[in-house]
Structures are given as structure tokens and as C-alpha cells.
Amino acid sequence: MAARELEPQERVDWLRLCRSETVGPVTFYALLRRFGSAAAALDALPRLAVRDGARPAVPQTRRDAEAELAAIDRLGGRLVCWGEPLYPSALAAVEDAPPVLTVLGHDEMLGIPMVAVVGARNASANGRRLAQSLAAGLAEAGIVVISGMARGIDAAAHLGGLENGSVAVVAGGADIVYPEENRGLYDALVRDGAIVAEMPLGTEPQARHFPRRNRIISGMALGVVVVEAAAKSGSLITARYALEQGREVFAVPGSPLDPRSRGANDLLRNGATLTETVADILAQLGPLLQGRPPLRQPLPPQPRLPLPPAVPRPVLSAPAAPLGEDAALELIVEKLGPTPVAVDELVRQCQLSAASIATLLLELELAGRIERHPGNLVSLR
Amino acid sequence: MAARELEPQERVDWLRLCRSETVGPVTFYALLRRFGSAAAALDALPRLAVRDGARPAVPQTRRDAEAELAAIDRLGGRLVCWGEPLYPSALAAVEDAPPVLTVLGHDEMLGIPMVAVVGARNASANGRRLAQSLAAGLAEAGIVVISGMARGIDAAAHLGGLENGSVAVVAGGADIVYPEENRGLYDALVRDGAIVAEMPLGTEPQARHFPRRNRIISGMALGVVVVEAAAKSGSLITARYALEQGREVFAVPGSPLDPRSRGANDLLRNGATLTETVADILAQLGPLLQGRPPLRQPLPPQPRLPLPPAVPRPVLSAPAAPLGEDAALELIVEKLGPTPVAVDELVRQCQLSAASIATLLLELELAGRIERHPGNLVSLR
């Protein structure tokens, strides 16, 4: 079935489910798959978590969800849900893609091929110059430059790409300008580009939001260009996500005497595409850009993808395990520890059906007892 | 048979043959193979070239050869011939290895594993600093640093490596200091390292000598490290030779905004090993250094290698072609042009035996009518 927009009521339900406590993206899609709709999942939510003695997961109220939607509307923005025509198609294929995105500015830009340009906040003047010129070259080629609106390389990349519109993914709410020094850039992005946020409006960005923000940036992009990244920097995390997500990684080389080049040089050592000019990026992305729509014209409606994740998961409708559910829950908890283990491994070790394990894990997750990790791994909280 | 030193008489003959007009390294080895010894080849030389109407190749006189040897001796130097124990074993495996090398200083260094560090003459202060520190690290690991004694990166590399002795391959004669500003370095190299030259003493370096010098540098080395090389620079030629000769190529990355990084970054794009510290070099060379003798201890005598070249060549003692020799010569000349062609291709096109073609090509070469190129290619002059 072709991509379609959600009905207004459905949109409210998606938002409520997605904003409910202990419902992360992976759980969100699992619930949708199990119960068929967000509305049905919301109904089941309080019952699900109660069994294990944990306090029940409280669904977000309808009023709160409607208030959030109204606030987005007042800002001229839009809530884009997974699988809707405007939802970025590259991101939709990622296992833990955000179920909803708040978008301010030109939401139609999310349908244009994007390349991320990221790097150090304390970038050198040369680094900023390079980022800006690479971004300008990408914009000229009809590619939307995406970055994180941080100071340094991110800001330079947005500036360079703004000619073709540029997209900032922010760690907090879409209405929160951070850092404050980038207020002018923020306004320009809302006017000529777009601001994208996974968090609700009004959320002040916190340290734990940034890796998630980086993962959305790489997920939306065909490739990630790293300019000046020190060893162990956030840009390297973005590059690692990009590799996990099967994106191209580009790195701009620099002198070994400059510690800001350490990270990019490391990426080159590990196979990133050496990038001096935009031609290096376009040459590598060429095949991916074939048949893509031209500048500023969004993608045609895509056939509606199956729900994420990309990793195969057991079907939830299989017959239940012979073991009683409480005993089975205990068995699973016993096998789990703080170190993430593969769900497949659990299936083997517990000798329960994959379907039962999936159901039981969902309950444990909603009870806040386990945590999901990318790659279909789980750990005890 | 084990490597042995030539008898004094034999050494004079090698030098005479090698210094004779129109006898390049490839011809030198072909003559040695055909006639069995340098003495026999010298006897045959005037007859060989006369046939085609060209003026005969005049062998160098015994007196001139003896004078050259005496002059080397007065400088405390030594003539090292291909296959002798001191001849660098890596270089000996190269198709057009110099039949004789003039060595001033510590000739025993030629038996220690070497790595070349080369780069721009107009290097930046940072580039020179990097070259010196990489060279110092190599020296500390017991590796002899080899370079071309040019200003800039070469000079910095020699300085850095001098602790363990360093070897300069010069384009002119071993007694000619070029550039003059490097006289202090030259003296230090003679005292603590070595100067190596293919050309006779007293030869002023000319432009055409430099590519040949670069080829000897890469041929002597296990690997070539390129620091700051502009596009189309001599250092890139050295790197290309290194690849042809199966050597490792290392390149130090630099900012795309610095034109002096263009060449090294290009090498990285084409698969050179990204090099920030000496550890990057040692990690790659590790397997090649296994079982090598330690610091300052020359290699044990090697079994005498078969004469170069590495590419298979026809045996010269096969029966002659049915075609008359003059007609055959004309046939070959007709097939040749200024663009180098493979000898194998000539064999096919002329329908002569490989052995006849080899003999006829040797005569044409001695008559100065054809030119040899690496890879068993020939062209008309």
C-alpha cells in the first residue's frame, strides 16, 4: 500500500503511545505489531505492565497529545509519523527510527537526498571553511545538507548548505535554540530549511539526547562527511552509526600534528572515503543518487514499508510456550544481566518459542525491567 | 652459489661494460647473459653494433675504468656490483637495477633494512618536523632511513635518521654535493651514513638523472613514506616506482587547503597506508622485518640471485630464425614506433623465435636505434 498520512485521530494515538513512559521506538513498533494499531496498544498498555508487579505504564493523556499537536501547529510546524510520505525514507529503514518527528520550516525538504556534514565544535578556521565549501558544493548538486546545529563545523555546514535549504536535527525540542549563539542560524533554518526533533517541544537538550540525535542524523543521510573530529568525539559516534546503518562515511584528512584531525584520519585508516572536494563525495554517492528527484522536489509517495526494524524479529502470533507465563518471565530475567545479549541467544537458552520470548520481553520492557539495544539486544536495567 | 665479491679484474670489466656507450642496465644484463662474462661482452661489443651500419659502440677503456676505481678508493669509497654481498638485496631484485653502485661512507649499511622518507623540497615547517620525527622513530626501530638528499623533506628525513646512520642516493656522482646548501648534511652522511650513486664520480646531476635516482631509492627500500608531496611531484614518481616494485607505500595526510598535501592525499585515496606516527609504518612492515638482523648488523651473505630482470625473457641460445638477420632487423624496425610495445607482442607479430628477437633487439639497442623500458617494453628512438 502506498505511503499515506495518518488520520487525525490516528496521529493523536501515535503521539500518545510514543510519548508514553517506557515506550521507546523499538517497543513502539513491537506494540503496533502486536496490537495492530496505536489505539489498541494504548488500551492494553496499563494491563501489560501490571503483571510483573511493576507500576503500570501510564499512557500519555489524549489532552497532552492534542496540546502538543496544537503547539506544533502554532509554530507552523508539523508532526511527521513513521511511514507517512514526508517521513525521510532512509531513516524509515533504521531499526529504531523515531516513530514521530517534529518538523519546523520546510518539511518537504525531508524528501530530498541528504548528506550529513559534521565535526568538531572547537573547529579551526580552516576546518569551518572546508565544511562550508563542501556543504555549498553539495547544495549546488541538489543535495540537502544535514547537521546538528552545534557550533563549529555543524554551523559552517548549515551556512554553506543554506542556499539549497539545510536541515538541522536538534537534541532537544524543535523550539529550543541551542546553543544560544546559533539563534540567527536557527531562524535562517526555519525560514529556508528545516528543524527536526525527536523530543517534544520545550525539551531542554541533555547529554543523553545527543547520541540519539547523532543516530537520526546518520539515519536520514545517504552519507556522513566528517571534518575535524578529535579522537573519541561525537562526530565519530555519528560515523559509527552511519556504518551500522550502511551509510557512506567520508572524512577530510588533516595533519597528524593537529589533534582535531585525529578522528577523521582514524576513519580514513578504517576505510572512509578520503574527501578533499565535493567531487569525492559525489563520485561515491553517484550510484545512490541515480534516478533521484532533482533539487527541491520531494520524493514521490513511496510504497508503505513494513514496520521497522531491519533485523528479523519473531512473529508474535505463534502459540504460547508450555511454561506458565510467570515462570517463563523469571526464567528470562535469570538469563539476563547488565550486559546486552542477543534475543536469539535468549531463545536458545530458555528453550521457549521465539514468539513467547518476544511477548515476554515486551512485558518486561514495559515494566521498565529491561532495556533494548540496537541489533536486537536486551539487558537487565 | 653464495654471494661473492668480484675478482679485481672482473670488477674492472663490469665497470667498463656498464660505462660503455648505449649500454643501460637492461642491456648490461642481457650481454652478461649472452656472453657469459663482462670480458666476453666487451670483446663482442664493437662487432655487435657494426652490422646495422650504426657506428660501433666503443667500450670504456680499461684505463678510464681503473682511474674511476682509484678515485673511488682515494675517497675511501667502494664500487659495489650487482650480486656482491654488499649490494642491497631488495634492489637486486629490480629489473633494471644498477649494475654498479658507488658508495661513500659506511657501505655495510646497505645490508640493513631500509625505509625511504621523501617529499617536497618547499616543505612546510610542520612537514619537515613530521619527516624528521618519523625518520627518528624508524632509526630507533633499527631501520636505516634512505632519501634523496634534496632540500626540504629529504634533508629532514636524513637528519632524523642519522642516529642510526642514513643513506642518501644522489642523482649525480657520489662526490658531488647537490644542493650546495646540504654540504653539512653530506659530510655527516659520509661520516655516519652513506652516499650512493649510480653515475660516475664527478657527474653533475641533470634533470634526467632524478627519476632514475628515485627508482633506486624505492628499489632499495622496503617501503616509501611520502610527506608533503604536491600533485605531479617527484615524490609521487618515487611512490609509483615503489608500487611497481612491490614496495609498501605510506602517506602522511594533510589538509585539502594545503596544496603540498595534494599528492599524499591522492596516494591515500589510492590505497597507501595512512601514516601519522612511526607505529603506522612498523605495523605494516612488521611481517617484512621478521627475522631481519638487528641494528647496524649487515645481512648475512645471500645466495647469489639469478641475474635480473624479474620479467621472463627468452633464452638467447635458441636456434636462429630462418629469415636472414638483416631482413629480420628490418622487419622488427618496421613493427616498432616511438610508443613502447611489449617484446612478447613483437614475437607474435614478427613470427620469429623469441630467441632471435632477443638477439636482434640487443643489436638494435647497442646501435642506439631502440630504447628499453621497464616491463620488457621497447620503442624506436
Side-chain angles (χ1 to χ4, degrees), chain B residues 148 169-173 178 196-199 203-206 209-210 213:
Chain B
V169 180
V170 296
Y178 179 87
V196 172
E198 181 180 27
M199 293 291 125
T203 309
E204 290 292 335
Q206 289 166 29
H209 295 146
F210 287 90
R213 187 270 314 256

Side-chain angles (χ1 to χ4, degrees), chain A residues 89-102:
Chain A
S89 55
L91 184 62
V94 169
E95 180 183 7
D96 54 351
V100 308
L101 293 171
T102 307

Side-chain angles (χ1 to χ4, degrees), chain A residues 261-296:
Chain A
S261 300
R262 203 63 51 80
N265 287 346
D266 267 344
L267 290 174
L268 291 173
R269 200 182 272 113
N270 291 314
T273 298
L274 189 139
T275 302
E276 293 183 300
T277 68
V278 73
D280 295 313
I281 304 170
L282 297 177
Q284 190 70 14
L285 291 181
L288 295 175
L289 294 168
Q290 292 292 332
R292 288 282 185 155
L295 187 61
R296 284 216 182 236

Side-chain angles (χ1 to χ4, degrees), chain A residues 22 92 95 106 124 133 154 156 169 181-182 187 190 196 201 208 217 242 249 252 255 267 340 357 372:
Chain A
T22 73
E95 180 183 7
H106 294 266
S124 71
S133 115
D154 284 20
V169 180
E181 71 185 69
N182 282 346
D187 292 341
V190 172
V196 172
L201 291 180
R208 66 190 163 86
I217 289 177
V249 176
V252 176
S255 165
L267 290 174
I357 295 271
R372 296 268 187 186

Side-chain angles (χ1 to χ4, degrees), chain B residues 11 37 102 107 173 197 224 293 318 342:
Chain B
R11 183 180 306 278
S37 72
T102 307
D107 48 25
V224 172

Side-chain angles (χ1 to χ4, degrees), chain A residues 94 96 207-221 223-224 226 233-249 267 374:
Chain A
V94 169
D96 54 351
R208 66 190 163 86
H209 296 146
F210 287 89
R212 183 83 195 145
R213 186 271 312 258
N214 294 345
R215 198 168 156 80
I216 297 171
I217 289 177
S218 58
M220 286 172 74
V224 173
V226 177
S233 61
S235 311
L236 293 192
I237 295 176
T238 310
R240 185 161 56 77
Y241 289 146
L243 284 176
E244 280 175 24
Q245 295 163 344
R247 308 296 188 254
E248 300 290 334
V249 176
L267 290 174

Side-chain angles (χ1 to χ4, degrees), chain A residues 126 253-254 257 265 269 276 280, chain B residues 126 253-254 257 265 269 276 280:
Chain A
N126 275 341
L257 296 177
N265 287 346
R269 200 182 272 113
E276 293 183 300
D280 295 313
Chain B
N126 275 341
L257 297 177
N265 287 346
R269 201 181 272 111
E276 292 183 300
D280 295 312

Side-chain angles (χ1 to χ4, degrees), chain A residues 257, chain B residues 120-134 151-157 227-228 260:
Chain A
L257 296 177
Chain B
R121 283 191 296 275
N122 67 339
S124 71
N126 275 341
R128 289 197 301 270
R129 200 172 122 203
L130 268 165
Q132 186 164 348
S133 114
L134 289 172
R151 61 173 69 91
I153 297 298
D154 283 19
V227 186
E228 287 197 352
R260 281 173 296 215

